[in-house]
Each structure stands twice: as structure tokens, then as C-alpha cells.
Amino acid sequence: MNIRSKKIKSVINIPGDKSISHRALMISSISNGVSVIHKFLFSKDSLATMECLKNLGVKIEIDDSRIKVFGNGLYSLKKYDDVLDAKNSGTTIRIMSGILSGSSFDSIIDGDESLRARPMDRIIKPLSLMGAGIYSLKKDKFAPLNISGRKLNSISYNMEIDSAQVKSCILFAGLYCDGITKIIENVKTRDHTERMINYFGGNIQIDKNVISIQRGEMEAREISIPGDISSASFFMVLASCIDGSELLIKDVGINETRTGIINVLRSMGADIEFINVHFNYFEEVCDIKVRGTSSLFGTLIEGDIIPTLIDEIPIICVLAAFAKGETIIKNIEELKYKESNRVKSIVDGFVKLGIEIYEFEDGIRIVGGGNIKGCEVNSYNDHRIAMAFMILSVLSGEDIKIINKSCVDISFPSFYEILNYILR
Ligand code: S3P
């Protein structure tokens, strides 16, 4: 196996969490008063949410890395006469649709070519059950979406897929309903919305897998966004695979609905230590110390852990390519509906690179430890695929040309800068 031997010794900071940045903007926009957000993620996705909210009349001021949002309550958004553009962001279109459904005006929300290919029936169905006037302007289940804001009714909804975007869409719509909206999850997905709505004074109760929300105005707050564990995971894998390396990643969010990557790394033999664990407002954070090792082993990843590492699967596949033995990842149907069909994007690239990979129904199997040969691979314009291939290139020492590698700015604009700093 070809693997870089030059050790990594670095201390880095990672930009703010993408999921939390979206929610911070949306929740403060419909709260009362001036919220201050520190360490907001300035990436294309989170800025798409900001642009939509500004177009809906919200005053947002940027002052260095601090953002001030002037909220005026649940019903303060104003009709936008043009099309709201969610660009590449699934979180923007799906969660904003919940807010727009409960508002008192009509909207059209759309996105780029990739977003237009991602299923929206998963939100159209529950929102329609709540009485929303939402329909697709193209084909049945795709953007653009036409939303006629109106009074909504509360529902009790059994989640059909394990998706935090869908859950959050229903929760935001639930803010506008009389009565109690209940969501029953099969598997727990990221719970940033629940934590943040309650922190802003909203009314969410959680009883095991049942989440209940009642209408309620929220009040402005100050918050600070933890570092994004999904972004940190690229460097955790990089350092783990190089024996003798030491990397300290400061202030990373370790909400347990997001730490599947840590469990997988540890189960494959990686040395990961949490230091200085504490609460940053309502989210747990810590510094993550990674020590590299030469003994990483394949593993089986399946079932309830999948939603807690759904965005990390591309980089877990890279880890698997450098581990001894086989890694099997099951129950990843959802991966086909991300910014690209990530199963196809990974398999295509790995096959070209000479990595042994097999696709089966609902999963993939990777045989690690083989030789990797440099070539051209396609990111399919998917930020997490581009970053995963970049780490693969550094680890293997092979020249891998990544088509459209600048797409990392969707979630992590400083990715190459931090990588160069680590490798300096
Ligand atoms: C997100 C939830 C996940 C994740 C996406 C962000 C969120 O999507 O893949 O990158 O912010 O709620 P699903 O909820 O569709 O699985």
C-alpha cells in the first residue's frame, strides 16, 4: 500500500457547523429582537439561507465574524416577488418550506440543477397533511416549489425516512399551528433544531422518540456556532492514517447525533481523545486530539448509526481504503439523494483509482490496503466528494486530478488553506 509517511503535527480551528448556521439564521429571523451569532459559517450553502431571509425582508448585518439578525416574530417575513434561490442547499429549501407554509403570503423556492434533482415529496407530504398549499412546479416531487402560505393544522407524523431536514421542516411548520404537532422518529437524527428552538424560548418536548412542538413566539438570543464535526472529519481521517501524527482540532461540536464518525474511527483502531468537553450554549463541544497509527482495521457500519454519520460516509470510504481488511457499509440508500448520488460518485472514483470496491443493494464493500494509482476523478460538483478525494490524494501521495474541486466552498471554503497549513 502506498501511504504518506511524513507525520502531521498541527493545531487547527474548523469553521462553524453548517447545519447549526442555517438554523441560527432561520430561528433568529422569526424571533423577536436582535440576535447575535458568533462564528457563523460563511459558505455558499449558509449564505443561500441568508440571502433568502434578506429577500423575505429580514435585516441582517455582518460585522466581522459576528452576525446581527433583527427578528420581528413568527409573522414578520414579507412576500418576495421573485423566486427564492436555495442554490445547492437541501437544508435551505426543505426547512424554509416549513416557514413559508405557515407565513401569510405566496412564494416560489427553487435551487440549482443538483437541488432540482433531489426529492421534495418527503416534505410535500407532511406539509400537505398540515394543510399547506405546497406543490411542485415541475414534476411531482422536485423543485421549484410553489408555496401558498396559510393557516396550518397540527399533525402527528411517523417519519418515513430518517431525515433531520424533514423533521426540522415539520417542526418549523409546527411553530405556526394551533395545537400540538408530534413527530415520531424511527431513528434519532441530528437534533440541532429542537435544542435551538428551546434555547430561543420555544416549546418543544421530547419523550424518547416522540418530539412535540407547540406554537409560540421566540425571543432573540446570543449564540456561538461550534466547529463543524463533518468538516473536521476529513482531517481526523488524514491524521489517523499517518503513523506518529498528532493533530489537535479545537472547538468541535460533539452533539451525540453527529458523532458516528468518532465511533467508527475508534472501532477501526484510531486514537481519538476528547479534551476540554463543555457546553457552548446548548451544544456540547470539545477539542479533538487525533494520534496517527499504522494499525487501522476494516469494520461493519450499519443500522441506527447511519444518520449520525451520513455526511461522513465519503471520508469513511477513504479511511476504509487505507485500513487492513474489509469495510462494509449498509443501509445507505439515502446517500443516493445527496448533492450527488454519493454511492455512484465514490464507486466511480474508487474503481478508477484501483481501489477494490463493490456495490450491493443498499450498501458498499471496500477492501483496504491495496495500491492506489493517480488519475482523474469526478467530484460530480459535490463538496464532500471533492474533499474526500483530496485527502485520498494526500494520503496515497498520488497525483489525483479532481474535476471541479472548488465546489468545497459549499460547506468549507477554507478547506485547501487549512490542508496546506497542516501539510506545510
Ligand atoms: C442536514 C441533515 C442531513 C445532512 C445534511 C444536513 C441538516 O440531511 O445530510 O447535510 O442540516 O438537517 P437529511 O436530513 O436529509 O438526512
Side-chain angles (χ1 to χ4, degrees):
M1 178 175 58
N2 42 342
I3 186 154
R4 179 190 162 98
S5 57
K6 191 170 175 233
K7 297 178 186 42
I8 283 168
K9 301 268 173 203
S10 252
V11 180
I12 56 168
N13 281 290
I14 289 288
D17 188 279
K18 181 157 81 72
S19 292
I20 302 178
S21 293
H22 284 295
R23 288 155 171 84
L25 282 179
M26 293 186 210
I27 293 175
S28 43
S29 292
I30 53 171
S31 295
N32 292 289
V34 185
S35 292
V36 178
I37 307 169
H38 300 272
K39 297 193 184 168
F40 177 79
L41 169 69
F42 288 92
S43 77
K44 277 197 173 158
D45 261 18
S46 33
L47 290 173
T49 291
M50 186 187 287
E51 204 50 40
C52 286
L53 290 164
K54 281 184 174 172
N55 286 334
L56 290 164
V58 182
K59 183 176 160 197
I60 300 176
E61 276 178 10
I62 302 174
D63 157 16
D64 269 342
S65 67
R66 211 173 53 152
I67 289 191
K68 277 189 188 164
V69 182
F70 298 75
N72 267 312
L74 281 175
Y75 293 97
S76 62
L77 302 184
K78 307 258 177 336
K79 179 176 166 63
Y80 181 51
D81 285 326
D82 209 331
V83 175
L84 293 163
D85 190 358
K87 303 198 167 140
N88 192 247
S89 173
T91 306
T92 308
I93 195 168
R94 295 202 178 108
I95 306 189
M96 281 299 304
S97 294
I99 299 178
L100 296 171
S101 294
S103 298
S104 55
F105 49 82
D106 295 350
S107 312
I108 296 175
I109 188 160
D110 199 1
D112 66 10
E113 199 191 333
S114 147
L115 194 62
R116 278 182 166 200
R118 296 176 66 183
M120 294 300 147
D121 47 344
R122 55 185 61 196
I123 57 158
I124 294 175
K125 182 174 174 191
L127 287 174
S128 301
L129 289 170
M130 296 173 97
I134 178 168
Y135 60 90
S136 159
L137 286 169
K138 273 274 156 61
K139 289 172 264 154
D140 270 3
K141 57 176 188 177
F142 299 103
L145 302 173
N146 188 95
I147 303 176
S148 306
R150 57 172 75 142
K151 194 157 175 18
L152 302 177
N153 49 268
S154 56
I155 54 168
S156 182
Y157 193 71
N158 286 294
M159 292 289 289
E160 291 174 2
I161 35 177
D162 306 322
S163 162
Q165 292 179 351
V166 175
K167 172 178 66 175
S168 300
C169 167
I170 304 170
L171 286 173
F172 273 89
L175 282 170
Y176 293 88
C177 296
D178 293 333
I180 301 174
T181 297
K182 278 188 196 295
I183 300 168
I184 300 108
E185 281 195 298
N186 297 310
V187 178
K188 194 168 168 62
T189 60
R190 65 190 69 188
D191 63 359
H192 308 301
T193 303
E194 295 90 306
R195 287 170 190 249
M196 202 185 292
I197 285 182
N198 277 346
Y199 172 68
F200 276 70
N203 190 353
I204 292 186
Q205 309 284 331
I206 300 165
D207 182 12
K208 296 196 186 84
N209 63 334
V210 183
I211 305 146
S212 310
I213 183 161
Q214 268 177 284
R215 169 207 219 96
E217 287 286 344
M218 296 177 289
E219 298 304 321
R221 294 279 187 266
E222 180 157 11
I223 68 167
S224 174
I225 313 281
D228 195 326
I229 191 167
S230 297
S231 300
S233 67
F234 295 99
F235 302 125
M236 287 194 252
V237 167
L238 177 65
S240 292
C241 291
I242 306 172
D243 196 16
S245 290
E246 266 195 30
L247 178 67
L248 185 67
I249 314 176
K250 306 276 286 177
D251 265 325
V252 182
I254 49 163
N255 179 318
E256 63 175 11
T257 60
R258 297 284 298 281
T259 48
I261 176 71
I262 304 287
N263 301 338
V264 165
L265 273 161
R266 284 181 175 151
S267 73
M268 292 174 79
D271 181 351
I272 312 277
E273 189 188 346
F274 285 177
I275 300 168
N276 186 21
V277 178
H278 63 283
F279 268 92
N280 167 345
Y281 299 91
F282 48 90
E283 293 281 352
E284 208 168 25
V285 298
C286 76
D287 301 335
I288 300 181
K289 179 121 188 186
V290 186
R291 294 182 185 85
T293 167
S294 58
S295 36
L296 294 170
F297 300 92
T299 191
L300 169 66
I301 307 166
E302 63 176 343
D304 291 2
I305 197 173
I306 297 295
T308 71
L309 49 70
I310 189 75
D311 290 339
E312 286 65 78
I313 292 172
I315 192 63
I316 289 173
C317 290
V318 172
L319 177 65
F322 290 95
K324 295 184 187 72
E326 268 188 9
T327 295
I328 296 175
I329 316 179
K330 292 185 182 170
N331 314 122
I332 53 171
E333 176 67 20
E334 267 301 299
L335 218 57
K336 297 182 180 164
Y337 310 111
K338 297 293 177 188
E339 286 81 333
S340 70
N341 173 343
R342 286 189 178 155
V343 174
K344 177 178 164 21
S345 307
I346 295 163
V347 172
D348 275 10
F350 275 30
V351 167
K352 282 181 128 188
L353 292 158
I355 301 168
E356 230 183 298
I357 185 163
Y358 304 93
E359 185 182 347
F360 54 88
E361 206 203 328
D362 199 20
I364 41 186
R365 178 165 70 90
I366 294 166
V367 183
N371 263 327
I372 293 165
K373 54 173 187 343
C375 65
E376 183 178 82
V377 292
N378 201 338
S379 68
Y380 292 97
N381 228 348
D382 181 331
H383 52 132
R384 298 199 202 281
I385 297 294
M387 290 187 275
F389 283 142
M390 193 62 216
I391 297 296
L392 219 161
S393 172
V394 172
L395 279 173
S396 63
E398 288 290 307
D399 188 16
I400 300 177
K401 185 175 179 311
I402 303 161
I403 300 175
N404 229 335
K405 67 183 218 181
S406 63
C407 63
V408 303
D409 56 12
I410 288 292
S411 64
F412 197 172
S414 54
F415 171 75
Y416 294 111
E417 199 183 307
I418 296 179
L419 181 62
N420 287 336
Y421 173 76
I422 293 174
L423 301 176
R424 74 198 179 282

